[in-house]
């Protein structure tokens, strides 16, 4: 039963981290796109790429932290 709660805890923390990282990534990506004066459709592409990558990275780190705490 312990593995189910551990897997559920890791998945929940990944979801929370991905949501938080995506919101920060969207704000930073928008700022970055306007700062570098990226033209047209490339601006939307840049914002999307920044949003996805920041969410995935932060979600992974939060899930890894939850996985480390499962061993206690």
């Amino acid at each position: 039963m312990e593995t189910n709660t551990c897997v559920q805890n890791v998945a929940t923390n990944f979801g929370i981290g991905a949501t938080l990282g995506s919101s920060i990534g969207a704000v930073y990506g928008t700022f970055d796109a306007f700062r570098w004066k990226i033209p047209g459709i490339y601006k939307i592409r840049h914002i999307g790429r920044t949003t996805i990558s920041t969410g995935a990275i932060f979600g992974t780190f939060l899930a890894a932290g939850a996985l480390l705490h499962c061993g206690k």
Side-chain angles (χ1 to χ4, degrees):
M1 194 54 116
E2 183 67 32
T3 58
N4 288 339
T5 58
C6 182
V7 170
Q8 185 178 11
N9 194 15
V10 169
T12 302
N13 282 339
F14 179 80
I16 291 170
T19 303
L20 182 63
S22 294
S23 61
I24 297 299
V27 171
Y28 178 71
T30 303
F31 171 75
D32 199 34
F34 282 107
R35 181 179 64 171
W36 290 105
K37 296 181 175 80
I38 298 174
I41 195 74
Y42 294 116
K43 190 178 295 184
I44 295 171
R45 184 177 171 185
H46 179 75
I47 293 169
R49 186 184 307 148
T50 307
T51 301
I52 298 288
S53 63
T54 308
I57 289 170
F58 195 70
T60 302
F61 281 126
L62 214 60
L67 189 62
L68 290 174
H69 282 282
C70 283
K72 290 183 178 182

